[in-house]
Amino acid sequence: MTFEEIIEKATVVLAEEFEVEVSEITPEASLKDTLGLDSLDLVDVVALVEQHFGVVLTGPDFIGVSTFQNFYELLNKKING
């Protein structure tokens, strides 16, 4: 899966799940603030990633992830090594 495909798919999945407009999800936007995430919502994000991308994320994976760009890069690293 290319980096662009990861971005597109992740954006659509997150927008649908957390009921935000796709246009609000930009690389520099805050993942937590844009989606209104609390610690329990991170469990949902982990489940969505596993369901849609087939990779498992753990708590330590999210260290340093504050923007959507950080999140996309994390997914790319997990999916494509």
Side-chain angles (χ1 to χ4, degrees):
M1 181 174 275
T2 68
F3 190 57
E4 291 76 22
E5 290 169 333
I6 291 169
I7 291 171
E8 184 177 325
K9 185 173 181 177
T11 300
V12 170
V13 167
L14 292 172
E16 288 176 0
E17 179 69 21
F18 292 97
E19 299 176 352
V20 298
E21 294 294 324
V22 169
S23 61
E24 292 180 53
I25 299 177
T26 61
E28 64 279 350
S30 166
L31 185 72
K32 182 179 177 183
D33 294 342
T34 304
L35 301 180
L37 299 179
D38 61 26
S39 57
L40 291 176
D41 291 325
L42 279 179
V43 175
D44 292 337
V45 172
V46 169
L48 285 170
V49 167
E50 188 170 352
Q51 177 184 357
H52 291 276
F53 294 96
V55 295
V56 177
L57 299 178
T58 61
D61 290 327
F62 284 94
I63 294 172
V65 174
S66 59
T67 66
F68 285 95
Q69 183 68 31
N70 300 146
F71 182 67
Y72 300 146
E73 289 168 358
L74 169 63
L75 286 178
N76 187 51
K77 184 173 136 187
K78 287 287 190 173
I79 293 166
N80 296 317

